């Protein structure tokens, strides 16, 4: 499955722009099913990337806007709405920024809601993390920015206002925190290595600061281990870095170097490996790169707020496919201010749009709708 779902490197596409095929659903129209038997949600848009006649690589599977998208409605409430015609309501996203996923639980950092909002797809639950009141975390989260999860599902949150990293269990119990204003200038994101032993905190610095770097800490003790990068435009230097991820495939650290409009690659000890990208309007270049995600095959997904999409690359920087497109309408697959991106264990892709306050979920074409962790109400089969 993964060879086809994630391994686009086997058939790299030419760096051309793909248009988006969108079919609006009428309110009373039947819900169309994908080729593997469903997944498209009522009143949403069935989007395929790339569009026909090209071979499909991804299907838009669902859109997460509020708790109503995962929590099962009570029969009495459903009956009442059927009579009154009232729309179903739920707790929505205030200003979503980032996203991380663990076994079907979608963690969304909501900067306006000062919390992590969790869409538990298999469990059909919605809950919040970081509201405060716990021992050691009375104040809760102030400005949750970048997120990451470790191999057991613990969630690491970069709090931009407090300038600390907080760690919670997947169920929301506070575990510990590290860093502080004395360690960071403007922290923007956090990454955890595959074995869960080290974390990498991205410090964006700012125009008046030279502290543009990645600070590395022991994930458990909080001990500072080393720094990667310094301000500049040369090899191994950084200018306004925004995000980082460690690849489980090759063990390398991939950094979105936004001010230099590129992705830089480092060994985990800080040694520079390579870079790709550059400022421009062509595919394979960048305008406002924000975050990076890595799939199980090692392909990179770089979300770009300027282009309004995510571009998919091989690990060495070869362009494979753009996913999504810029558009003013609030339609799945169209973005005005995309900011966060994640890829889960099965290759599903999650893209956050701040402006439209939603998370779009894409399923790889080789993954059936009832496979994997992120199946609403529980998977019938888990793809391995």
């Amino acid at each position: 499955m993964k060879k086809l779902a994630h391994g686009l490197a086997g058939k790299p596409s030419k760096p051309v722009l793909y248009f988006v095929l969108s079919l609006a659903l009428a309110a009373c129209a039947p819900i169309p099913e994908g080729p593997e038997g469903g997944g498209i949600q009522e009143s949403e848009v069935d989007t395929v990337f790339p569009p026909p006649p090209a071979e499909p690589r991804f299907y838009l599977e669902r859109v997460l806007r509020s708790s109503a998208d995962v929590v099962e409605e009570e029969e009495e409430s459903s009956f009442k709405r059927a009579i009154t015609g009232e729309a179903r309501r739920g707790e929505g996203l205030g200003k979503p920024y980032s996203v991380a996923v663990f076994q079907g639980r979608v963690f969304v950092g909501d900067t306006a809601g000062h919390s992590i909002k969790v869409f538990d797809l298999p469990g059909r639950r919605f809950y919040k993390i970081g509201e405060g009141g716990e021992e050691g975390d009375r104040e809760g989260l102030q400005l949750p920015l970048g997120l990451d999860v470790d191999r057991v599902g613990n969630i690491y949150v970069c709090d931009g206002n407090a300038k600390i990293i907080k760690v919670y269990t997947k169920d929301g119990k506070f575990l510990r925190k590290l860093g502080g204003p004395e360690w960071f200038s403007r922290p923007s994101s956090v990454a955890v290595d595959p074995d869960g032993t080290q974390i990498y905190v991205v410090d964006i610095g700012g125009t008046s600061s030279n502290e543009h770097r990645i600070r590395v800490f022991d994930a458990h003790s909080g001990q500072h281990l080393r720094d990667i990068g310094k301000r500049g435009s040369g090899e191994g230097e950084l200018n306004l870095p925004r995000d980082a991820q460690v690849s489980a495939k090759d063990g390398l650290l991939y950094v979105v170097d936004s001010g230099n409009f590129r992705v830089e690659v480092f060994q985990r000890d800080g040694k520079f490996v390579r870079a790709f990208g550059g400022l421009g309007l062509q595919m394979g270049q960048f305008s406002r790169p924000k975050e990076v995600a890595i799939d199980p095959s090692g392909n990179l997904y770089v979300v770009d707020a300027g282009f309004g999409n995510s571009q998919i690359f091989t690990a060495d920087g070869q362009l494979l496919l753009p996913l999504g497109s810029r558009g003013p309408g609030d339609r799945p697959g169209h973005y005005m201010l995309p900011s966060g991106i994640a890829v889960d264990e099965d290759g599903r892709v999650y893209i956050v749009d701040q402006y439209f306050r939603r998370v779009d979920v894409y399923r790889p074409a080789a993954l059936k709708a009832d496979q994997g962790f992120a199946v609403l109400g529980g998977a019938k089969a888990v793809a391995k």
Side-chain angles (χ1 to χ4, degrees), residues 268-323:
R268 281 187 278 178
D269 62 6
K271 182 180 178 181
F272 173 79
V273 177
R274 59 180 175 270
F276 65 88
L279 175 62
L281 299 177
Q282 303 300 315
M283 299 309 300
Q285 298 175 319
F286 299 114
S287 174
R288 291 175 60 196
K290 291 280 192 175
E291 287 197 354
V292 61
I294 304 174
D295 72 22
S297 289
N299 295 321
L300 311 180
Y301 299 65
V302 183
V303 68
D304 194 305
F307 289 164
N309 68 4
S310 169
Q311 297 184 78
I312 309 175
F313 299 88
T314 62
D316 60 4
Q318 182 181 9
L319 177 68
L320 298 175
L321 180 74
L323 188 60

Side-chain angles (χ1 to χ4, degrees), residues 200 216 226-229 236 253 265-273:
Y200 302 77
V216 188
R226 61 188 171 277
D227 291 334
I228 298 174
L253 176 70
V265 188
F266 299 86
Q267 293 181 359
R268 281 187 278 178
D269 62 6
K271 182 180 178 181
F272 173 79
V273 177

Side-chain angles (χ1 to χ4, degrees), residues 15 38 40 43 77 93 98 109 116 167 193 237 246 253 258 306 333 342 357 378 382:
I40 305 300
S43 301
S77 176
L93 298 169
S98 55
I116 306 301
V167 188
D193 63 12
E237 296 179 335
V246 180
L253 176 70
S258 67
R357 297 185 294 177
V382 176

Side-chain angles (χ1 to χ4, degrees), residues 10-23:
K11 296 181 179 180
S13 61
K14 296 180 180 179
V16 296
L17 289 170
Y18 291 98
F19 64 91
V20 180
L21 177 66
S22 300
L23 300 176

Side-chain angles (χ1 to χ4, degrees), residues 52 101 123 143 150 187 234 239-240 258 269 289 320 353-354 359 361 384:
V101 187
L143 188 70
D150 64 20
N239 183 28
L240 303 175
S258 67
D269 62 6
L320 298 175
D353 191 289
Q354 286 186 293
V359 180
V361 184
K384 295 294 186 182

